[in-house]
Amino acid sequence: MPIDIARYSKLISPKDTGHNEEREARLLERCPPGHEGTKLIDIPATILDASGAIIAWYLPDALTDATQKEIWVATDLLAPMLEKSIKADGIWRTNQEWFTPRSENDVLTPRCLNLSPAWFQQGHENQSDPEVSASLKGPSSEDILKAIARPAAIATAALRVMHPQQYWTGLQAFASLGDKAGSKELPKMLETLQYWATVFNILTIICNRETPNHRGHSSIPECFDILTSVGNYSNAWMSIPSLQLEVRYDPGCMIAFSGRIVRHGVHAVEGDRIGWAWYMRDAVHIYAGILSCGWARLDGKKSKG
């Protein structure tokens, strides 16, 4: 695509949540993807910018049936916490307006939940130390961490190929977090880190939710988020309007891009769908003292943009 993703990223401010259609139209006019209309993608693809930097990976059928089943079972283990996550108002991520009302034929309860061994709650990025997410502070936390371990390792292995510099940055961040948890006597964080089986620092689990077009303001511009989808559903598409793309989002699919830069959303589906989103938060890497990893490139060269 005739876009310089590093320069494009500098146009995206913290206020660009992806919900302002007029602002998004101006951004699209300034940085067009180079094709007319919206393109549909349903085969494996790597999307590059004009310099050879990788904007996105699209891998349909990336997850085996066994792995999809593991994700389903792990999500079911979280059901008691998921049931408490939805709200009648508030931010769209947990607002009941965006969740599919449960019917008698549905297996899943529509919900959204974050898991993290070390994170700052929104608006508290300047507090002294990150903390373990509330979802991993209960008596079943070890069982949860063991249940998500294999899918977590698969996402990490995929990242090792997609963006090697980000992978090594993630390893360095967790080594630093472990040292800080030990020296600052943060026992719950230290214990959780021992079972956390990925270099990503947050997993968001989403059940039966339509996702409006948005950007993840807490993600790192140069880093990939990895999104996976499983379930018993049909006719699912992810919209990527900043690139004028629509990609088929069938069960077993894996998609990677910077949620901070690439505006995206998921249409409502027919049936039950579970989405797992793995990503890194910049505030955690800053706390850990880790430098930016640069942009992923097809030629493997390190780029700082």
Side-chain angles (χ1 to χ4, degrees):
M1 289 187 171
I3 296 174
D4 184 325
I5 193 65
R7 287 182 173 175
Y8 179 70
S9 72
K10 295 175 182 177
L11 300 176
I12 309 298
S13 78
K15 295 181 179 179
D16 287 320
T17 60
H19 301 308
N20 186 326
E21 294 295 341
E22 291 184 4
R23 165 66 174 162
E24 293 302 326
R26 291 195 296 271
L27 285 170
L28 187 61
E29 182 178 4
R30 187 166 179 180
C31 298
H35 56 264
E36 295 295 328
T38 299
K39 282 190 174 183
L40 304 181
I41 298 179
D42 60 2
I43 59 174
T46 306
I47 301 168
L48 308 178
D49 80 347
S51 74
I54 301 172
I55 301 175
W57 294 79
Y58 172 63
L59 302 172
D61 301 317
L63 303 180
T64 65
D65 290 345
T67 300
Q68 293 182 55
K69 184 177 180 180
E70 282 186 86
I71 290 174
W72 186 283
V73 171
T75 302
D76 191 53
L77 183 64
L78 289 158
M81 283 176 282
L82 286 165
E83 290 174 359
K84 301 175 183 177
S85 64
I86 199 168
K87 297 176 175 60
D89 53 15
I91 61 172
W92 65 266
R93 296 176 189 276
T94 54
N95 191 311
Q96 65 183 14
E97 169 188 354
W98 294 100
F99 292 84
T100 304
R102 188 172 186 177
S103 72
E104 61 181 15
N105 296 321
D106 291 334
V107 176
L108 293 176
T109 300
R111 295 294 180 257
C112 177
L113 186 70
N114 294 311
L115 305 179
S116 177
W119 78 333
F120 297 100
Q121 294 188 33
Q122 188 172 347
H124 297 273
E125 289 82 0
N126 294 323
Q127 71 184 45
S128 58
D129 297 304
E131 59 183 77
V132 177
S133 62
S135 53
L136 293 177
K137 289 181 177 178
S140 60
S141 60
E142 184 176 329
D143 291 336
I144 293 168
L145 290 165
K146 289 179 178 178
I148 70 171
R150 188 170 175 274
I154 289 171
T156 299
L159 182 68
R160 177 67 179 84
V161 175
M162 295 172 173
H163 196 336
Q165 289 81 17
Q166 181 185 348
Y167 167 82
W168 290 113
T169 295
L171 283 181
Q172 292 167 6
F174 276 97
S176 176
L177 288 171
D179 290 342
K180 287 179 179 290
S183 64
K184 294 192 173 188
E185 297 183 354
L186 304 171
K188 185 59 181 175
M189 185 187 301
L190 189 60
E191 176 189 351
T192 306
L193 286 168
Q194 292 174 352
Y195 289 99
W196 187 257
T198 179
V199 296
F200 293 96
N201 42 56
I202 296 181
L203 167 62
T204 296
I205 297 176
I206 305 158
C207 298
N208 288 350
R209 188 189 72 189
E210 178 182 2
T211 302
N213 290 328
H214 70 288
R215 289 191 174 86
H217 68 277
S218 297
S219 294
I220 302 173
E222 302 91 345
C223 288
F224 290 142
D225 305 342
I226 289 187
L227 315 179
T228 57
S229 187
V230 306
N232 303 309
Y233 63 88
S234 59
N235 196 33
W237 290 86
M238 174 180 284
S239 62
I240 308 179
S242 54
L243 304 178
Q244 290 185 296
L245 299 175
E246 292 256 344
V247 298
R248 184 175 288 280
Y249 206 32
D250 289 338
C253 181
M254 177 181 288
I255 303 176
F257 51 68
S258 170
R260 180 73 188 86
I261 304 304
V262 177
R263 188 182 182 223
H264 59 286
V266 179
H267 306 304
V269 302
E270 301 169 6
D272 283 313
R273 187 181 77 83
I274 299 171
W276 280 23
W278 300 95
Y279 55 101
M280 298 178 177
R281 277 193 170 173
D282 208 16
V284 175
H285 280 209
I286 292 172
Y287 171 84
I290 303 303
L291 298 177
S292 168
C293 62
W295 303 92
R297 296 185 57 82
L298 193 63
D299 57 19
K301 294 179 181 178
K302 190 171 183 180
S303 170
K304 286 291 182 181

